[in-house]
Amino acid sequence: MAYRTIEFSRKVAFNGMRKEATHYILPDLPSAITPQLRELFYKTVPTNQRIITIAACRHTPSTLKKEIDQLDTNRILLVGGNEKQDASLSSEHALTIIREHSNLIPWCVWDPNSVDSQNRLLDKQQAGAMGVVTQPLFTTRAWNNIQTVDINIECIAGIPLISSRKNFMFWLDLLEGDTESFISDPVLCHSLDYFHEPMTQQNAPLLYANSYLEQLLSLEVVQGVHF
């Protein structure tokens, strides 16, 4: 598997580098990534292992060009972000600027659980995305989408590290749509079964993760995993 990416965090920083990781992704979250933690990222992660996240919603064309000119990396992860304003760039516009203005390798994000998600990903690919990091695959729709989407870019699938049924429900709340509408999905129901029986509760996270990873590794389109 070509890519094994890890989201950089305070816990990752102070637990040390992991030899199995090929890249570390620095989130664009000012509330979580302090200036000190950002400085630690640049001190400890080699340039060829850095992936810097940029939120399109925080930029205009001029501010985006200024930021990418200052980056010490060769790969970025472009996200839409949750702070959209009237002047905010769309992901597609931002990807086009990045490809035209720099030699950086831009990746995008994709939620295969959502409706019409294939078209959204294809629009990002057309705009210049050279890779994609997916949200975890929780639903029948997600597994179908990742197996049928017609892309020719690198695909890195997200792996959810779930510790309990409550934690699983937290993940579901992050998906587009009503959580209740997902509960009847057969793939999701099967996953929840791992966290249902008290006897299997202790081993549930490992059993679920192994099953999930085994399914991912069987997909030709997947070239890496993201933790």
Side-chain angles (χ1 to χ4, degrees):
M1 188 156 286
Y3 297 97
R4 295 178 298 279
T5 68
I6 295 177
E7 183 170 305
F8 193 79
S9 65
R10 182 175 298 276
K11 182 177 180 180
V12 169
F14 290 100
N15 284 345
M17 302 287 287
R18 302 193 61 89
K19 62 180 181 180
E20 64 269 24
T22 62
H23 295 80
Y24 290 86
I25 297 179
L26 181 69
D28 188 2
L29 295 171
S31 61
I33 303 299
T34 63
Q36 294 81 4
L37 196 56
R38 180 177 292 271
E39 181 180 356
L40 188 59
F41 174 83
Y42 282 105
K43 282 184 177 180
T44 58
V45 180
T47 303
N48 64 350
Q49 289 186 275
R50 298 172 187 163
I51 302 177
I52 311 297
T53 303
I54 293 178
C57 70
R58 297 200 181 102
H59 287 286
T60 63
S62 60
T63 63
L64 178 60
K65 291 175 183 178
K66 182 178 180 179
E67 176 160 350
I68 60 180
D69 283 343
Q70 297 173 345
L71 291 178
D72 186 11
T73 184
N74 56 19
R75 198 180 303 266
I76 64 174
L77 179 65
L78 195 284
V79 300
N82 298 320
E83 302 169 13
K84 293 181 175 61
Q85 302 175 8
D86 291 341
S88 295
L89 291 174
S90 68
S91 294
E92 292 79 12
H93 191 182
L95 285 165
T96 299
I97 291 173
I98 292 165
R99 287 300 304 274
E100 293 178 349
H101 185 73
S102 73
N103 293 320
L104 294 171
I105 300 172
W107 284 0
C108 65
V109 292
W110 178 41
D111 181 5
N113 301 280
S114 66
V115 177
D116 198 35
S117 67
Q118 287 200 14
N119 289 334
R120 296 182 195 177
L121 178 56
L122 293 174
D123 287 345
K124 293 177 182 179
Q125 176 180 269
Q126 186 174 5
M130 301 174 69
V132 57
V133 178
T134 80
Q135 293 287 348
L137 285 66
F138 289 119
T139 62
T140 302
R141 178 190 293 133
W143 287 97
N144 288 340
N145 276 337
I146 201 168
Q147 293 178 81
T148 60
V149 66
D150 185 18
I151 57 172
N152 54 16
I153 59 179
E154 296 171 319
C155 181
I156 294 82
I159 294 183
L161 301 178
I162 296 175
S163 58
S164 65
R165 186 181 182 87
K166 181 179 179 180
N167 184 225
F168 205 125
M169 299 307 294
F170 167 81
W171 277 93
L172 297 188
D173 285 339
L174 300 178
L175 301 181
E176 289 185 8
D178 182 10
T179 301
E180 294 298 323
S181 67
F182 296 115
I183 297 300
S184 60
D185 184 279
V187 169
L188 196 147
C189 287
H190 177 68
S191 299
L192 279 173
D193 283 344
Y194 283 96
F195 302 90
H196 183 65
E197 294 294 337
M199 290 185 300
T200 62
Q201 187 68 31
Q202 184 175 357
N203 295 325
L206 181 59
L207 291 172
Y208 172 73
N210 286 341
S211 173
Y212 182 94
L213 184 58
E214 184 178 353
Q215 292 179 72
L216 278 184
L217 294 178
S218 69
L219 303 181
E220 292 185 11
V221 69
V222 175
Q223 296 162 316
V225 292
H226 173 63
F227 295 91

